[in-house]
Structure formats: structure tokens, C-alpha cells
């Protein structure tokens, strides 16, 4: 009788062994949890309408987040420039740049190598139109930029805008020139698109009013930013569904927020201004954006290098040798003799610590290398 408990225990164990074996088999064949999705990298590309400060990007980013499109990463070698709300502000919106110059000087490949976008939002050509560049020449630049995007990523999705209207006081012909360019974009895109790298035209022109949606006939105000965001949103959501994020063998690195890019095919190092750590200090750095016989285009980056926000800024620099400013944007620029004074516009004066903004101008004469001073206000 004393052996009966042992025999009973062995009987139960024998009955349980098949069950234990089945559990082990199921455990071994259960797939591991899926890895987190790789974010789709989106590059906003253009001029001051995109980047100075280009607050339509902030509206677009936050709308995407609130509607569940969280696996995205806005990318660019330039950082955010305010807008008053948190958002992913990386971009390639270079104030004063011409699409034709960016193409001719091969500036884009360096930006692409640093950021590796899957989708590009391109609103580019405003300064080309202002400079009376022929629409066919602008579209040829578009083609070269797209070719460079595809060389970096053959599956790039390109969203190209019909640019917003223009009606600046100093360029009465700009409105019709914009119409002329926009009228050709659909045909250009149809001839350039591919299955692997589609080009989608986003109509930013229709329904946009220079009277109510800009503050100067060129740059969008708050109402204009909202309209631009609303136009980009459905096209970008559709693109996110198509885009396959590229390999991420190394993490995306956010470049320094104040790079200076040379107008030559190679990029130059960041400016070597001597920032001050005093509260509320600012620095200004100069870049020659382009030059031609008898004139040049300059760009100035203003950065808050202090520990406290600033409400405004004033930049001064000398021009000599008959150099005269003929046009400026993103700042109130005046010239008295050989001294140029640039004060912030109404929308880009407030800068948080480490934030920056840019302004640009066209001038007659030979290009200088001026010494700039910046004072907060």
C-alpha cells in the first residue's frame, strides 16, 4: 500500500508530459513582437516662404500628429525659426534662394546626403519669378533637382507646388509671371513623374489672395499659412501611404541650426561668428547667395546666442564702392550712405535662445565681405 502514492504521481506526470511539450513548441514558434516603424522623412524645400519662418510647416506638423500620423520626421539642415508652437521644424527653406541657383550650383545633393528624405515638399521659384527668369529655365531647374533627389533615393515622392500668387509693390509684373510658371507645372510633372518616384502637383495658387493671405504681397500671413497647410495635408497623407522609409543604418543627425552653404558646388563650414553668452545677445553672419555682372544677392542669418529670448533685432553693416541695395525681404532694410541698417519684420523679431532667422537683399555693385553687428531690441 505504501507504493500507491508514488505510482499515482508518476501516472499524473506521464499524462502531463504531452501538454508540456505542446506548450514548449508553441512558445518556440511564436513570432517576436514587431519592431517600431521607421519614420518617413519629409523635407520641406524652398525659399523664405518655406523657411523664414514658414509657419505653415508648424500647422501641418501638428495636424499630422493630431490625426495619427506620428511616424514622420521633418528633415533639413536648417532648424525651426519660431512660430510660437512646438513642432519638428527642420527644413530646407533658404530665404532669398532661387531654384535655378540651387540647381546650377549643385547645392541640393549635400542637403540630401545629410537628411535622406523619402518625401520632398517643394514650393520653389518665387525669387526666380521676381528675377524674371523664364518659366522654361525654372522648370529645367526643377528637373535637375528631381534628378538629384532620385539619385539620392530612387523612391522619392515629390510634392511640387503651384506657387502662391505674388503682388509686391516693387514688381507689378510678378503676378502675371507667376501665372505663366504655374500654367506649365502640370505638364512638366506629367512628363517627369515615374511609378517609382511620383511627382504630385499641389495647387497652392488657386484661392490664395495676396490681399488677405499675405502681409507684403509675397509672404503668407497667419491666414495664408493655414491655407498652405490645408493644401499640403491631403497630398502628404497620401504620400505617406506610398512612401517606404529608406534604410536607417545610422541615426538621423540634426545638423547645427545655423549652417552656411557656399554658392559653389561644395558646402562651406558653419559661419565663424563669435557668439556672446550674455542674456539676450545676437549675432549676424553673412553669405553671398549669388552674383552677376553689376550686382549680387546677399543673405544674413540672425541668431539669438544669448540665454534669454529677444523681442527684436537690428543688424548693421557697411557697403562701399557704389554698392546700393535695390530690393530686400524678411527685414526692413534701409541704406544711408555706406551704412545699411536692417530691422526685423513684424513676424521674425522674437527669437528664443538658439533660434535664428534670415533676411536677404539684392544690390548693385560688386559683392563685399562686410563686418556685421547685431543688437537685440
Amino acid at each position: 500500500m505504501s507504493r500507491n502514492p508514488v505510482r499515482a504521481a508518476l501516472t499524473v506526470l506521464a499524462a502531463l508530459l504531452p501538454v508540456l511539450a505542446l506548450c514548449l513548441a508553441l512558445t518556440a514558434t511564436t513570432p517576436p513582437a514587431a519592431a517600431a516603424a521607421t519614420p518617413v522623412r519629409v523635407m520641406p524645400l524652398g525659399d523664405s516662404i518655406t523657411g523664414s519662418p514658414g509657419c505653415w510647416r508648424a500647422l501641418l506638423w501638428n495636424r499630422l500628429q493630431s490625426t495619427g500620423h506620428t511616424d514622420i520626421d521633418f528633415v533639413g539642415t536648417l532648424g525651426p525659426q519660431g512660430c510660437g508652437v512646438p513642432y519638428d521644424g527642420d527644413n530646407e527653406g533658404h530665404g532669398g534662394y532661387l531654384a535655378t541657383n540651387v540647381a546650377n550650383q549643385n547645392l541640393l545633393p549635400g542637403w540630401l546626403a545629410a537628411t535622406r528624405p523619402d518625401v520632398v515638399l517643394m514650393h520653389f521659384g518665387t525669387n526666380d519669378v521676381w528675377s524674371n527668369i523664364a518659366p522654361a529655365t525654372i522648370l529645367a531647374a526643377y528637373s535637375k533637382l528631381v534628378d538629384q533627389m532620385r539619385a539620392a533615393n530612387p523612391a522619392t515622392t515629390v510634392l511640387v507646388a503651384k506657387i502662391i500668387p505674388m503682388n509686391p509693390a516693387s514688381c507689378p509684373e510678378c503676378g502675371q509671371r507667376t501665372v505663366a510658371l504655374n500654367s506649365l507645372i502640370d505638364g512638366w510633372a506629367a512628363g517627369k513623374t515615374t511609378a517609382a518616384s511620383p511627382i504630385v502637383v499641389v495647387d497652392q495658387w488657386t484661392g490664395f489672395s495676396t490681399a488677405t493671405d499675405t502681409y507684403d504681397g509675397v509672404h503668407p500671413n497667419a491666414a495664408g499659412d493655414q491655407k498652405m497647410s490645408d493644401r499640403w495635408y491631403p497630398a502628404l497623407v497620401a504620400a505617406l501611404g506610398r512612401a517606404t522609409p529608406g534604410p536607417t543604418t545610422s541615426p538621423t543627425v540634426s545638423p547645427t541650426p545655423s549652417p552656411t552653404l557656399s554658392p559653389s558646388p561644395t558646402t562651406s563650414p558653419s559661419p565663424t561668428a563669435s557668439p556672446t553668452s550674455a542674456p539676450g545677445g545676437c549675432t549676424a553672419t553673412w553669405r553671398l547667395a549669388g552674383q552677376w555682372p553689376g550686382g549680387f544677392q546677399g543673405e544674413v542669418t540672425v541668431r539669438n546666442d544669448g540665454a534669454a529670448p529677444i523681442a527684436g533685432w537690428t543688424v548693421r553693416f557697411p557697403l562701399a564702392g557704389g554698392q546700393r541695395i535695390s530690393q530686400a525681404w524678411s527685414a526692413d532694410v534701409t541704406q544711408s550712405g555706406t551704412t545699411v541698417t536692417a530691422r526685423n519684420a513684424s513676424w521674425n523679431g522674437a527669437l528664443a535662445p538658439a533660434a535664428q532667422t534670415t533676411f536677404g537683399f539684392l544690390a548693385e555693385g560688386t559683392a563685399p565681405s562686410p563686418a556685421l553687428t547685431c543688437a537685440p531690441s
Side-chain angles (χ1 to χ4, degrees):
M1 295 295 294
S2 60
R3 293 180 181 179
N4 288 341
V6 174
R7 185 179 297 110
L10 291 173
T11 300
V12 171
L13 180 60
L16 288 175
L17 284 174
V19 177
L20 292 172
L22 176 61
C23 291
L24 289 172
L26 290 173
T27 301
T29 58
T30 300
T38 301
V40 176
R41 295 183 291 275
V42 180
M43 173 191 281
L45 172 65
D47 45 44
S48 60
I49 292 172
T50 295
S52 299
C55 289
W56 60 262
R57 293 181 289 107
L59 298 173
L60 179 59
W61 167 263
N62 283 292
R63 183 176 180 184
L64 290 166
Q65 298 299 299
S66 67
T67 53
H69 301 283
T70 55
D71 291 330
I72 56 174
D73 180 13
F74 277 17
V75 297
T77 61
L78 302 177
Q81 298 178 344
C83 298
V85 294
Y87 72 107
D88 184 349
D90 295 335
N91 71 97
E92 294 294 351
H94 298 263
Y97 277 39
L98 281 68
T100 48
N101 283 350
V102 170
N104 293 338
Q105 297 166 9
N106 292 315
L107 299 180
L108 183 59
W111 304 341
L112 294 170
T115 59
R116 299 173 294 112
D118 305 297
V119 180
V120 177
L121 311 183
M122 189 170 82
H123 185 288
F124 220 168
T126 297
N127 294 305
D128 302 79
V129 169
W130 201 324
S131 301
N132 201 18
I133 305 292
T137 304
I138 299 172
L139 294 179
Y142 283 8
S143 291
K144 183 172 182 179
L145 296 177
V146 169
D147 289 343
Q148 291 172 338
M149 295 172 199
R150 290 171 175 170
N153 177 1
T156 303
T157 298
V158 187
L159 307 186
V160 177
K162 291 186 177 181
I163 64 174
I164 62 175
M166 296 173 61
N167 187 28
S170 59
C171 184
E173 304 86 5
C174 280
Q176 189 55 45
R177 293 177 193 165
T178 302
V179 173
L181 172 63
N182 284 339
S183 68
L184 300 177
I185 289 179
D186 284 318
W188 166 82
K192 191 69 176 175
T193 192
T194 67
S197 176
I199 298 176
V200 179
V201 178
V202 179
D203 186 358
Q204 293 285 0
W205 188 87
T206 302
F208 198 100
S209 169
T210 56
T212 60
D213 299 326
T214 73
Y215 60 84
D216 60 357
V218 179
H219 299 88
N221 57 19
D225 283 329
Q226 188 64 61
K227 284 188 176 181
M228 292 191 70
S229 172
D230 290 345
R231 293 294 175 87
W232 284 122
Y233 176 80
L236 179 53
V237 168
L240 295 176
R242 291 190 300 267
T244 301
T248 54
T249 54
S250 60
T252 300
V253 179
S254 296
T256 55
S258 57
T260 294
L261 295 165
S262 169
S264 62
T266 57
T267 57
S268 63
S270 298
T272 56
S274 300
T276 174
S277 59
C282 67
T283 56
T285 53
W286 160 270
R287 195 188 76 85
L288 179 63
Q291 58 183 324
W292 51 90
F296 63 94
Q297 177 181 327
E299 181 182 281
V300 176
T301 298
V302 180
R303 176 181 169 87
N304 180 1
D305 285 313
I310 61 175
W313 45 264
T314 300
V315 173
R316 291 185 173 86
F317 57 91
L319 287 181
Q323 299 152 340
R324 300 293 304 178
I325 290 180
S326 58
Q327 176 186 320
W329 52 90
S330 301
D332 179 13
V333 178
T334 59
Q335 182 173 355
S336 177
T338 61
T339 300
V340 175
T341 302
R343 294 181 173 84
N344 61 271
S346 60
W347 48 268
N348 65 354
L351 296 177
Q356 65 181 37
T357 189
T358 59
F359 69 89
F361 60 89
L362 301 179
E364 302 168 357
T366 57
S369 298
L372 290 77
T373 62
C374 182
S377 58

